[in-house]
């Protein structure tokens, strides 16, 4: 394949619409994408030997070869990392701590339990993000954590929330780049509650307490993730969208928009500009819901492109923190990382190649005919040539070559687990 010749063809085609292909590639290569650790082991973590996943989320499938410990997870991600272009962060959950064989209570997790991760991130040129784990724990078993009526349980989780912020802040300081600390709690009712207010008051009080501790915004940014329902919490989610909009406003926090956390006809692409009218920033959890919050591997669908084009069109690049959140245990997990992350990169490139100035001019002039006509015309431009060139420039496999690489890793490494 003649990548340079193809790139020239693309340069010419896009230039006709006023788009600079090389500038587009450069901007995508500088946009950080946070890849989640939990795709590597079906959200099991290393806290207990056979971490059972609770909290109304589910990783289905039993494909062989999943990472069983910290070394395997790191090795697997190091392999996946070589298949994915762009600037990357790695998003850790509290249950992925490196406790060196010791049992550490959730309310006592501290930066010291993540020093080996920081070291690893430095060695691999990665940023880090953090997530407290308010699930898969005996004290979350009745379905309530930060909203619990039981003061001792609520306090326990408040302490975990505070510790998570300190861990995230330490990541930022150590790596010299802001770490996002994403707070999501599974709290909700399976059946029709008669006192929603009490639980929401408890949750609000918990955040007052968690955020009373100050962290440095240069190193830690907290983000609040809402949800519509979870398995076993079908009737009421305490941390709903409305709850967290208010909570984020009150505390000056980011809001996490997870693409699987809304009613099926609602789209995150439309929410970004709405939320950013009032909040400083959002975090994205890019996922793929299929009929429910199923967390399928991200594909290059219309909504993914709508999200990335919204970021560009609104000029929100600095205010939107992009993170991935999917977990499929039914196919090769390293391929999941590669497919989902490469698609995120493709969508970013797609957005960077959009002739925004031209399209927005049509709209401003009321020429909606040209707006629609060009939105369709650009779909058949030689986008793939630019994508190939971007991969080549980033020293990651061009085209389908990565698939053979993963198959080989599966035969050499994963199949022996
Ligand atoms: C659950 C939320 C949450 C989790 C991760 C593992 O519905 O999306 O972000 O997926 O924390
Ligand atoms: Zn999420």
């Amino acid at each position: 394949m003649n990548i340079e010749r193809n790139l020239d063809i693309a340069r010419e085609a896009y230039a006709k619409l006023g788009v600079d292909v090389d500038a587009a590639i450069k901007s995508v290569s500088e946009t950080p994408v946070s890849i989640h650790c939990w795709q590597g082991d079906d959200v099991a973590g290393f806290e207990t030997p056979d971490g059972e996943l609770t909290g109304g989320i589910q990783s289905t499938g039993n494909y062989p070869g999943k990472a069983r410990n910290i070394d395997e997870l790191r090795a697997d991600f190091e392999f996946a990392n070589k298949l994915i272009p762009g600037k990357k962060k790695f998003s850790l959950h509290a249950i992925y701590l490196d406790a060196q064989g010791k049992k550490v209570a959730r309310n006592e997790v501290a930066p010291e339990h993540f020093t080996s991760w920081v070291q690893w991130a430095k060695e691999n040129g990665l940023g880090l993000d953090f997530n407290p784990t308010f699930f898969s724990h005996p004290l979350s078993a009745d379905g309530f954590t930060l909203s619990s009526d039981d003061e001792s349980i609520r306090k326990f989780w408040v302490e975990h929330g505070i510790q998570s912020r300190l861990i995230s802040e330490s990541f930022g300081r150590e790596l010299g780049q802001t770490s996002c600390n994403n707070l999501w709690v599974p709290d909700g009712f399976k059946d029709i509650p008669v006192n929603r207010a009490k639980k929401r008051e408890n949750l609000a009080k918990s955040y007052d307490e968690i955020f009373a501790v100050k962290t440095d915004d240069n190193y830690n940014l907290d983000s609040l993730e809402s949800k519509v329902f979870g398995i076993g919490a079908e009737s009421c989610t305490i941390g709903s969208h409305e709850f967290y909009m208010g909570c984020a406003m009150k505390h000056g926090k980011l809001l996490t928009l997870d693409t699987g956390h809304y009613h099926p006809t609602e789209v995150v692409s439309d929410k970004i500009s709405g939320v950013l009218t009032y909040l400083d920033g959002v975090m994205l959890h890019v996922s793929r819901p299929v009929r429910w919050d199923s967390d399928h591997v991200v594909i290059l669908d219309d909504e993914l492109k709508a999200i990335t084009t919204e970021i560009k069109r609104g000029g929100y690049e600095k205010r939107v923190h992009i993170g991935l959140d999917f977990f499929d245990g039914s196919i090769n997990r390293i391929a999941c990382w590669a497919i989902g992350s490469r698609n995120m990169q493709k969508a970013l490139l797609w957005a960077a190649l959009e002739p925004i100035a031209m399209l927005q001019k049509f709209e401003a002039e009321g020429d909606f005919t040209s707006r629609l006509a060009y939105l369709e015309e650009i779909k058949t431009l030689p986008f793939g040539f630019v994508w190939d060139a971007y991969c080549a420039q980033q020293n990651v496999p061009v085209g389908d070559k990565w698939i053979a690489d993963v198959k080989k890793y599966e035969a050499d490494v994963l199949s022996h687990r």
Side-chain angles (χ1 to χ4, degrees):
M1 196 195 320
N2 192 330
I3 293 172
E4 264 309 313
R5 187 203 58 202
N6 289 350
L7 181 60
D8 273 337
I9 292 170
R11 280 188 183 117
E12 206 185 311
Y14 281 98
K16 281 189 192 143
L17 303 179
V19 175
D20 179 339
V21 164
D22 299 283
I25 291 178
K26 185 164 181 290
S27 84
V28 177
S29 72
E30 290 166 354
T31 305
V33 171
S34 184
I35 305 178
H36 52 312
C37 70
W38 53 93
Q39 167 59 70
D41 71 340
D42 308 344
V43 211
F46 315 125
E47 208 178 46
T48 51
D50 232 334
E52 198 213 336
L53 178 59
T54 70
I57 53 178
Q58 239 173 43
S59 170
T60 52
N62 207 7
Y63 198 81
K66 85 167 169 191
R68 296 163 299 181
N69 53 52
I70 211 161
D71 292 334
E72 289 181 355
L73 189 78
R74 283 178 188 160
D76 288 358
F77 187 73
E78 283 164 34
F79 187 85
N81 192 18
K82 293 191 212 120
L83 312 175
I84 303 162
K87 196 170 162 194
K88 280 154 275 183
K89 297 175 94 179
F90 198 58
S91 183
L92 288 168
H93 240 287
I95 50 173
Y96 290 77
L97 78 175
D98 185 5
Q100 317 269 345
K102 282 198 302 282
K103 174 112 188 71
V104 181
R106 285 278 171 97
N107 61 342
E108 285 170 4
V109 285
E112 71 204 61
H113 305 117
F114 292 88
T115 46
S116 71
W117 276 115
V118 170
Q119 188 53 37
W120 176 83
K122 283 181 184 163
E123 284 160 18
N124 288 278
L126 299 163
L128 287 176
D129 286 321
F130 195 67
N131 304 257
T133 313
F134 292 99
F135 52 86
S136 303
H137 190 277
L139 291 183
S140 67
D142 75 349
F144 299 96
T145 63
L146 290 179
S147 72
S148 178
D149 290 331
D150 180 324
E151 255 321 89
S152 66
I153 293 180
R154 196 184 66 76
K155 282 279 178 203
F156 174 87
W157 290 113
V158 164
E159 285 164 16
H160 182 57
I162 292 170
Q163 290 306 105
S164 75
R165 302 181 60 227
L166 302 179
I167 295 166
S168 176
E169 187 184 40
S170 78
F171 288 175
R173 268 185 215 287
E174 285 288 332
L175 299 171
Q177 57 170 298
T178 317
S179 163
C180 292
N181 186 44
N182 181 65
L183 297 115
W184 170 73
V185 298
D187 301 29
F189 285 103
K190 178 185 171 75
D191 222 329
I192 308 154
V194 292
N195 201 347
R196 296 166 198 256
K198 178 69 170 50
K199 289 290 189 292
R200 291 197 165 120
E201 280 159 21
N202 294 345
L203 187 55
K205 188 163 143 210
S206 293
Y207 284 116
D208 287 348
E209 292 167 12
I210 290 172
F211 296 137
V213 173
K214 293 291 161 231
T215 58
D216 188 332
D217 283 356
N218 292 310
Y219 302 122
N220 172 52
L221 283 179
D222 300 295
S223 196
L224 297 161
E225 182 177 10
S226 74
K227 189 163 177 172
V228 65
F229 85 96
I231 299 172
E234 289 84 357
S235 297
C236 169
T237 293
I238 312 305
S240 59
H241 181 70
E242 293 73 14
F243 178 93
Y244 277 124
M245 264 311 277
C247 190
M249 285 291 293
K250 173 176 177 182
H251 292 287
K253 300 300 180 187
L254 311 188
L255 192 72
T256 297
L257 302 173
D258 183 308
T259 54
H261 286 197
Y262 298 91
H263 286 287
T265 57
E266 280 185 86
V267 282
V268 162
S269 53
D270 181 55
K271 297 182 188 296
I272 295 170
S273 57
V275 172
L276 287 181
T277 306
Y278 289 102
L279 296 186
D280 289 342
V282 299
M283 162 123 213
L284 296 180
H285 264 192
V286 180
S287 193
R288 179 166 54 106
V290 179
R291 301 192 187 278
W292 71 291
D293 182 32
S294 60
D295 293 292
H296 279 60
V297 178
V298 165
I299 59 171
L300 186 61
D301 55 13
D302 286 348
E303 172 58 5
L304 188 64
K305 288 190 263 188
I307 287 170
T308 54
T309 49
E310 264 304 301
I311 296 171
K312 271 276 171 194
R313 291 170 188 171
Y316 299 133
E317 293 92 333
K318 293 267 175 301
R319 296 169 65 196
V320 177
H321 303 261
I322 303 170
L324 304 178
D325 181 14
F326 51 81
F327 30 101
D328 191 339
S330 74
I331 56 176
N332 182 303
R333 294 171 185 79
I334 293 162
C336 291
W337 263 327
I339 295 166
S341 309
R342 284 171 70 100
N343 283 332
M344 188 71 236
Q345 292 288 326
K346 282 182 208 158
L348 287 168
L349 186 61
W350 175 269
L353 289 167
E354 193 180 66
I356 297 175
M358 185 184 84
L359 292 169
Q360 290 188 336
K361 187 161 176 283
F362 289 143
E363 184 167 294
E365 289 167 351
D367 184 0
F368 300 158
T369 308
S370 298
R371 182 184 63 186
L372 181 63
Y374 274 97
L375 278 170
E376 289 306 298
E377 281 303 316
I378 58 180
K379 288 182 178 169
T380 48
L381 289 176
F383 169 74
F385 289 169
V386 188
W387 167 245
D388 288 345
Y390 174 47
C391 288
Q393 286 176 21
Q394 291 274 313
N395 282 317
V396 303
V398 173
D400 62 358
K401 195 196 160 289
W402 69 269
I403 304 169
D405 294 349
V406 170
K407 291 284 180 193
K408 185 167 183 319
Y409 187 78
E410 181 171 315
D412 294 350
V413 180
L414 303 181
S415 68
H416 301 291
R417 287 181 184 164

